Amino acid sequence: MRNRPICFVLFSLFSAASTMRAQDAVRSTTNDQDEAEAAPVIVSATRTEIPLDQSPASVSVITAEDIEQKQTQRVSNALREIPGLSVVQTGTAGQLTSVFTRGLRSEHTQVLLDGVPINQGLQGAFNFADLTTDDIDRIEVVRGPQSTLYGPRALAGVIQIFTKQGEGTPGIALNGEGGSYDTFREWLESDGKIDQFDYSIGASRIDTDNARPNNEYRNTAAIANVGWSPNEQLRISSLFTYSLSDTGNPNTIFDPKPIDNFLTERWLIAPHIDFRLSDWWEHKFIFSYDHERQLNDPNQDGFVGPTRALFERTTIDYQNDLRPASWLTLTSGFFYSRVNAGQERPFVLQIFGPQPTFVSDHTEEIAGFLQATLTPIENLIFVAGGRFDHFNQFGDIWTYRFAGSYKIDKTNTTLHSSVATGFSPPSSQDKIFGNNFGLQPEKNLGWDAGIEQRLWENKVTVGATYFHNNLSNVIGFNGLFQTLNLGAAETQGLETELRAQPIIDLIFTASYTYLEAEKTSSSDISQLQGARLPRRPRNEVYVSASYLWWRKLRTTAEAKFVNAREELNFGGPNFNIEDYSFVNIAAEYEINPHLSIFGRIDNLTNEHYAEVFGFPALGRAAYGGVKLRF
């Protein structure tokens, strides 16, 4: 039974290729070349460059232009338009923000920045609350298990963020805005190339009080990508990031905290070497070190008192791309990671017996992977790969992935399908607070199959994908509140996506996700067997439209509808939480090439809703500002 998805993938791809190959003989060579030149190129689906319209995985791309048109400030808000992703924010800006991919947990999605894993903290998930859109070139979202390429945390998928690489004459943009809830934001961006040196930088500051007492948010962020290219074959570069945020933590509306604050500081440095020996042999090397510290003071939960958490990680990522034949690319690599995580709890009460005042965890990982990308006939891409990971705590993990796509030129249709295994190791939080360092990784067997159709000379693209995940070894609580490998879950559904540009100045996008997410075991006492996984909507709809008037005024409107959600009721049946929807509008007018004014209204209809029960989102808010470019 476990091999049926693999057979399905192989059968669907090769049968499609054999039945359509005769039709492809009549294609127009000229049209083929034009489409190839116009097709965007992605790398996250295979770790090598391939056209987006031939991707063997389910991939969505958000460009810098998309971000600018919608005046998106944070990556989490940009991700709301992607099918298969649920973005959940605990109230207002600055509060915990999680992303669930295809109904799986937030720590099951690996987040990368220019190839560097940035999931942090004791939980192992990535908190999108402080990640701004400064200096972003594009965001690639790959859905489905990707552990064969990206290892831990890629059980559900990968979100990879690419920074800009400086080109042309250096320029700078200065921006500022103000608006509701005493909000002020300033940011700058600059990029360019001088002789052999290129650079791109972004920096921002936001101050807002939000809507409730002790709900203020202050964030300073900076990012830079600096490179040196002595010739066309070699680029030596480094990525630098820094962020410092101070967040008021009022807690839920039922349990307000008047002075509790949460401070988070992160920084990262990641030297890169990209070396192309020839057209058939490339090397990529990344060394990274990142550090995070968190201070919760006074931490008014009445139990542990003020706390300080520390996290540091060192990674080495080497990739070798070898093309021994025109139809074969072999991608292999080595990965090393060392993580130290701990939490200081100096005022832990001892009323329940001696309690440690400092808890810590040390994890090391060594991995190797190999992937073959085959193009035995034109427009057919088949990918097969495997990976071996060794951890110091729980031993060895093997993963595999098979995927493929076939593009039918005559109808401009792409069929794609994949089956893969993924894993997510127990987090430091699972091990430390559950007092169990013998936990095993959570595992997933996932498969999908989809179709993408391009119409009207590529002015309209529509796609649909069915997906299925079987999650096992899920970490949960037993009756003694210990963490054990207890559970299992199943998610399945349909994700659809539409992008249309009927005329050059009008862009329309839409996405819809249908999700079934069910707990299938009875051992974990946090939920009853058969319960729907909490905070996983059954239906999500997103639409947006953008139009450029007279080549001067850009107007954009977007709307989101989310329904059929449940909240966890520990040990008992879940309870339903209300549906919600919101509408945002934005406009920008270019006075001249150096000066623009802009404004937007978020939550135009003043919807009263909460993405997490008890943590209300903001009501209607208006903002306006100015942009200067030199």
Side-chain angles (χ1 to χ4, degrees):
M1 292 292 289
R2 291 178 65 88
N3 291 326
R4 289 179 62 187
I6 301 177
C7 297
F8 174 79
V9 172
L10 297 175
F11 176 78
S12 63
L13 289 171
F14 283 107
S15 62
S18 61
T19 56
M20 299 298 178
R21 190 176 181 184
Q23 299 180 23
D24 293 340
V26 299
R27 68 184 180 276
S28 167
T29 304
T30 301
N31 290 341
D32 231 18
Q33 293 173 347
D34 292 341
E35 287 182 14
E37 292 175 356
V41 173
I42 60 170
V43 300
S44 300
T46 59
R47 290 184 70 137
T48 58
E49 292 186 352
I50 59 170
L52 176 60
D53 61 1
Q54 297 183 48
S55 170
S58 298
V59 181
S60 298
V61 178
I62 302 169
T63 65
E65 184 180 5
D66 297 328
I67 292 171
E68 184 174 4
Q69 289 175 359
K70 295 168 186 174
Q71 299 180 26
T72 307
Q73 298 181 359
R74 295 186 298 149
V75 170
S76 58
N77 289 333
L79 295 174
R80 294 181 186 275
E81 66 181 76
I82 302 298
L85 265 59
S86 295
V87 179
V88 177
Q89 182 173 296
T90 312
T92 54
Q95 301 296 327
L96 178 65
T97 306
S98 304
V99 174
F100 301 91
T101 302
R102 289 183 171 177
L104 302 176
R105 296 198 303 187
S106 56
E107 55 264 45
H108 294 160
T109 298
Q110 179 66 70
V111 184
L112 302 163
L113 181 62
D114 285 346
V116 179
I118 57 175
N119 291 43
Q120 289 182 320
L122 295 176
Q123 186 186 356
F126 183 77
N127 180 8
F128 283 87
D130 307 320
L131 185 59
T132 64
T133 55
D134 304 331
D135 199 41
I136 288 180
D137 177 66
R138 71 186 188 279
I139 304 171
E140 296 181 2
V141 181
V142 188
R143 299 178 292 277
Q146 305 296 322
S147 289
T148 299
L149 289 178
Y150 299 105
R153 308 296 174 201
L155 180 149
V158 166
I159 299 171
Q160 180 152 207
I161 302 155
F162 293 91
T163 59
K164 296 175 181 178
Q165 182 174 330
E167 297 179 345
T169 304
I172 185 171
L174 303 173
N175 315 271
E177 72 171 23
S180 301
Y181 306 110
D182 291 327
T183 299
F184 296 93
R185 181 172 180 252
E186 309 83 34
W187 71 102
L188 68 86
E189 290 188 339
S190 179
D191 62 80
K193 188 171 184 179
I194 304 173
D195 296 329
Q196 299 174 339
F197 294 91
D198 63 82
Y199 77 95
S200 67
I201 60 173
S204 65
R205 167 75 182 190
I206 183 171
D207 297 82
T208 182
D209 290 341
N210 289 315
R212 301 167 56 197
N214 190 38
N215 198 196
E216 70 277 0
Y217 176 55
R218 313 284 185 258
N219 177 253
T220 302
I223 185 170
N225 183 345
V226 181
W228 174 58
S229 304
N231 52 56
E232 294 182 355
Q233 289 75 39
L234 175 65
R235 181 174 185 257
I236 301 174
S237 61
S238 190
L239 175 69
F240 306 90
T241 70
Y242 177 81
S243 70
L244 176 66
S245 66
D246 189 0
T247 307
N249 185 26
N251 207 21
T252 69
I253 57 176
F254 310 105
D255 182 25
K257 299 176 180 179
I259 58 174
D260 207 354
N261 268 65
F262 198 77
L263 179 78
T264 303
E265 183 181 39
R266 301 185 181 97
W267 60 272
L268 175 148
I269 180 170
H272 289 54
I273 298 175
D274 296 277
F275 186 33
R276 182 191 293 267
L277 280 172
S278 65
D279 291 338
W280 52 272
W281 199 7
E282 294 181 55
H283 301 270
K284 299 177 182 179
F285 177 85
I286 304 174
F287 172 85
S288 70
Y289 177 81
D290 61 321
H291 186 279
E292 176 187 83
R293 71 179 182 96
Q294 296 179 331
L295 179 64
N296 193 184
D297 190 8
N299 196 5
Q300 296 176 301
D301 59 13
F303 183 67
V304 298
T307 60
R308 182 177 60 134
L310 299 173
F311 175 94
E312 64 167 3
R313 170 177 46 204
T314 302
T315 67
I316 298 173
D317 190 308
Y318 168 72
Q319 177 179 333
N320 177 29
D321 298 323
L322 186 64
R323 299 177 180 86
S326 60
W327 52 269
L328 175 63
T329 300
L330 297 175
T331 300
S332 58
F334 166 84
F335 181 78
Y336 169 79
S337 173
R338 178 181 62 84
V339 173
N340 291 311
Q343 185 175 46
E344 182 183 45
R345 303 186 299 171
F347 301 112
V348 172
L349 298 178
Q350 306 294 318
I351 59 176
F352 300 110
Q355 301 291 321
T357 58
F358 184 84
V359 286
S360 61
D361 178 41
H362 173 77
T363 304
E364 288 193 23
E365 172 198 3
I366 299 175
F369 64 90
L370 174 64
Q371 175 186 266
T373 302
L374 299 89
T375 54
I377 60 174
E378 193 169 5
N379 290 342
L380 173 66
I381 296 178
F382 182 73
V383 176
R387 180 183 178 111
F388 172 77
D389 289 80
H390 173 77
F391 291 84
N392 63 321
Q393 292 183 357
F394 44 79
D396 304 335
I397 300 291
W398 288 91
T399 53
Y400 65 82
R401 176 175 179 245
F402 298 96
S405 68
Y406 184 70
K407 183 180 179 183
I408 307 166
D409 281 339
K410 185 175 183 179
T411 59
N412 210 356
T413 306
T414 300
L415 307 174
H416 63 86
S417 190
S418 70
V419 59
T421 56
F423 75 98
S424 181
S427 68
S428 298
Q429 179 174 280
D430 292 330
K431 291 178 281 187
I432 291 172
F433 297 106
N435 194 28
N436 186 351
F437 284 81
L439 292 169
Q440 296 299 305
E442 297 174 306
K443 297 182 179 181
N444 180 34
L445 172 62
W447 62 277
D448 60 29
I451 182 172
E452 185 175 88
Q453 180 65 56
R454 288 162 293 279
L455 305 165
W456 200 7
E457 298 179 340
N458 289 336
K459 294 179 180 179
V460 177
T461 302
V462 60
T465 301
Y466 172 80
F467 62 87
H468 191 281
N469 292 291
N470 282 319
L471 192 63
S472 60
N473 234 18
V474 176
I475 296 171
F477 290 105
N478 65 3
L480 300 176
F481 292 94
Q482 295 174 318
T483 52
L484 300 170
N485 292 107
L486 294 169
E490 180 181 84
T491 74
Q492 58 184 323
L494 178 71
E495 50 197 29
T496 62
E497 196 168 15
L498 167 69
R499 184 177 180 91
Q501 193 168 4
I503 57 178
I504 189 66
D505 294 327
L506 175 63
I507 301 173
F508 178 80
T509 62
S511 64
Y512 168 70
T513 303
Y514 175 79
L515 173 68
E516 291 292 343
E518 178 184 349
K519 180 189 172 186
T520 56
S521 67
S522 59
S523 300
D524 181 353
I525 67 170
S526 62
Q527 280 185 285
L528 302 176
Q529 185 176 6
R532 185 175 183 84
L533 299 181
R535 303 175 187 171
R536 273 67 156 194
R538 181 173 279 109
N539 299 286
E540 292 194 63
V541 180
Y542 174 89
V543 294
S544 75
S546 179
Y547 188 72
L548 181 62
W549 307 79
W550 317 296
R551 295 288 180 182
K552 290 287 187 179
L553 175 65
R554 168 73 66 179
T555 57
T556 303
E558 60 177 347
K560 180 93 182 214
F561 171 72
V562 178
N563 91 323
R565 300 175 300 146
E566 297 180 359
E567 189 59 271
L568 180 65
N569 183 18
F570 192 83
N574 293 349
F575 59 90
N576 293 326
I577 50 179
E578 63 179 3
D579 306 342
Y580 71 88
S581 61
F582 59 80
V583 178
N584 302 330
I585 60 173
E588 181 175 350
Y589 181 73
E590 183 182 283
I591 297 174
N592 58 53
H594 302 288
L595 176 63
S596 298
I597 56 174
F598 64 91
R600 71 180 185 279
I601 301 177
D602 292 342
N603 195 4
L604 177 66
T605 59
N606 200 31
E607 177 92 353
H608 297 284
Y609 70 96
E611 295 180 279
V612 178
F613 182 74
F615 295 86
L618 291 176
R620 184 187 298 116
Y623 308 91
V626 61
K627 296 182 178 180
L628 297 173
R629 294 175 290 271
F630 303 99

